[in-house]
Amino acid sequence: MSALAQVTGDPDLDPAPAPAAPVAKQRSWTAYLLMLPGVLWLGVFFLLPLVQLASVSLQSRYPGFPGYYYRDLNFSNYASALTDYAPHFARSFLYAGLATLLAFAVAYPLAYAMAFKAGRWRNLMMICVIAPFFTSFILRTFAWSQILADEGWVASVLNFLHVLPNGHIINTPIAVVAGLTYNFLPFMVLPIYASLERADPRVIEAGGDLYANGFTTFRTVTLPISMPGVLAGTLLTFIPAAGDFVNMELLGPQRGKMIGNVINDQFLAVPGGYPVAAALSFTLMAAILVLVFLYVRRFGTEELV
């Protein structure tokens, strides 16, 4: 209380306290400054190329001049993408879906073993999962083509068992799905392992204490706990697999390409194919976004790994 208020006995004469420093405002500006480099990076290397790609997708070819096109609002490029190349889209999503299912079937037991059963071997198993990342994607796929070649041991064993109708596995859809599964398997293992590893084992053991068998405990306790990892893993596997073209180029047949191969050919091999390639790219992105939205809407959780 001030001296004047003490003399007069009136507390209202006490001056108001000085306003506090705007700490919250300073913190908000700090947050924006920290976000600035990331926003600039996304704007320069993502948004601007995306706008340029959208502009190219609406351009038209000069008649009689292959390789030249002019700015226009030619929506027929999108109509061509949806009609002429519909089988390629369907084939890409089919192969990516099969690879995702196979990767999940392999990854979940492996991630479960790493999280709960590996013990001192956990670090070694983790190294084995991430070791393929130390080698180039193309080199790994090329090595896979040598493994699946007609003179390789895989084809020899399958031919000995008489389970290959055509006598070879390379240059077939089976080889493409196998290559996609192999190349994107770590993207499925790591998120599932992260979800299982931080789960409380006592919660899983409680299922047995309540007289549930192993399958019931897995279905009602373990699998729901790991759903954030399963969701993240399936997205990280399906999305790049749907747009991949390397596995089809090195492992698949010459006919029946995936949509990634068509986009690559339109950009690099077909004169004046830029507008169609750009329209195909946008159509692929839109289709994947719709599928991801429906998938997350159905199986999504509040927390992703």
Side-chain angles (χ1 to χ4, degrees), residues 98-111 181 185 188-189 192 234:
L98 291 175
T100 302
L101 291 175
L102 290 175
F104 173 76
V106 175
Y108 202 100
L110 178 59
T181 304
L185 181 62
M188 181 72 76
V189 175
I192 297 177
T234 51

Side-chain angles (χ1 to χ4, degrees), residues 47-300:
L47 291 180
L48 289 181
L50 204 62
V51 172
Q52 177 65 18
L53 190 68
S55 174
V56 172
S57 69
L58 297 175
Q59 294 176 350
S60 301
R61 299 181 185 180
Y62 273 111
F65 294 92
Y68 293 89
Y69 45 89
Y70 60 93
R71 298 190 181 278
D72 194 8
L73 293 178
N74 185 9
F75 290 96
S76 64
N77 294 326
Y78 286 92
S80 176
L82 294 173
T83 55
D84 298 345
Y85 301 101
H88 300 82
F89 279 104
R91 190 177 299 111
S92 299
F93 292 143
L94 175 61
Y95 291 171
L98 291 175
T100 302
L101 291 175
L102 290 175
F104 173 76
V106 175
Y108 202 100
L110 178 59
Y112 186 91
M114 291 170 57
F116 299 121
K117 306 295 183 181
R120 59 177 180 157
W121 301 103
R122 178 181 301 177
N123 293 334
L124 179 61
M125 295 176 68
M126 178 66 70
I127 293 174
C128 293
V129 170
I130 65 176
F133 287 138
F134 299 155
T135 308
S136 169
F137 182 89
I138 296 179
L139 289 179
R140 297 200 310 266
T141 309
F142 185 76
W144 197 246
S145 69
Q146 301 301 308
I147 294 173
L148 300 180
D150 292 341
E151 62 274 10
W153 66 270
V154 176
S156 300
V157 171
L158 294 179
N159 282 322
F160 177 78
L161 298 175
H162 301 286
V163 295
L164 283 180
N166 296 325
H168 59 87
I169 190 173
I170 195 67
N171 297 329
T172 63
I174 298 176
V176 177
V177 175
L180 290 172
T181 304
Y182 163 75
N183 279 306
F184 297 111
L185 181 62
F187 295 103
M188 181 72 76
V189 175
L190 296 178
I192 297 177
Y193 166 74
S195 288
L196 291 174
E197 194 271 336
R198 66 185 185 185
D200 190 350
R202 294 173 297 181
V203 177
I204 301 176
E205 293 173 359
D209 296 338
L210 296 175
Y211 304 102
N213 57 32
F215 176 76
T216 303
T217 302
F218 172 79
R219 180 176 57 85
T220 59
V221 180
T222 308
L223 185 60
I225 289 176
S226 63
M227 275 306 295
V230 173
L231 178 63
T234 51
L235 294 180
L236 291 173
T237 303
F238 178 83
I239 293 175
D244 181 77
F245 68 94
V246 175
N247 286 275
M248 174 60 76
E249 193 71 25
L250 297 179
L251 304 176
Q254 296 298 321
R255 300 181 62 183
K257 295 183 177 181
M258 297 173 65
I259 194 62
N261 302 95
V262 176
I263 295 173
N264 179 72
D265 293 342
Q266 289 289 332
F267 268 123
L268 302 179
V270 178
Y274 280 18
V276 175
L280 287 170
S281 301
F282 260 94
T283 305
L284 177 62
M285 285 189 292
I288 290 177
L289 283 175
V290 171
L291 292 176
V292 168
F293 174 79
L294 295 176
Y295 176 72
V296 174
R297 183 81 178 254
R298 175 64 181 84
F299 299 102

